[in-house]
Amino acid sequence: MLQIYKINSKYRGFIYRVTIFSLNNDFCVMKSDTKEIEQEYLSKLMDRVLQLRKAKKMSQEKLANESGIARSLMRGYERKERNISFANLVRIIKFGFGMTIEDFFSEGFDKKAKG
């Protein structure tokens, strides 16, 4: 008999969704790709921040100061070593770049690269 179990687990702030299939007590686990998707979008966010900072000819220090966050945090964000909070992302967009959130996301943020 086929049985399907869906498990949602929270670990370190991430929600993982796992599906387990059982056929006659033989188990097969299908991991969710939630973490990979989150990392992909975090990378896109930081690429966009870096692109805008360079286009505006701003240093990391200047952007950090304008945004009201520490320069070491800015460096960690751009190097993709740290996860950015929503509050700090809004600070960077609004105060650092002086733009709306809509404008930040409007220029093909979620489109796949052609190649």
Side-chain angles (χ1 to χ4, degrees), residues 36-110:
E36 289 83 11
I37 292 169
E38 289 170 352
Q39 290 302 315
E40 176 187 347
Y41 279 92
L42 180 63
S43 179
K44 286 181 179 186
L45 280 173
M46 293 304 98
D47 289 344
R48 179 77 169 130
V49 168
L50 183 61
Q51 171 201 15
L52 287 169
R53 181 177 67 76
K54 288 185 175 183
K56 292 179 181 278
K57 298 182 172 117
M58 297 176 80
S59 67
Q60 279 183 353
E61 184 174 13
K62 179 173 170 71
L63 180 57
N65 287 338
E66 294 286 324
S67 304
I69 61 174
R71 192 186 72 71
S72 60
L73 272 177
M74 184 64 66
R75 184 186 65 212
Y77 295 153
E78 286 190 5
R79 289 182 175 182
K80 300 173 186 167
E81 298 170 347
R82 300 191 61 124
N83 292 333
I84 191 167
S85 69
F86 181 72
N88 282 348
L89 179 62
V90 170
R91 285 176 162 195
I92 291 168
I93 295 169
K94 298 288 241 174
F95 304 121
F97 295 135
M99 62 192 311
T100 65
I101 293 172
E102 292 82 7
D103 288 341
F104 178 83
F105 287 104
S106 68
E107 296 182 21
F109 176 80
D110 196 23

Side-chain angles (χ1 to χ4, degrees), residues 2 13 21 33 82:
L2 177 65
F21 297 93
D33 57 354
R82 300 191 61 124

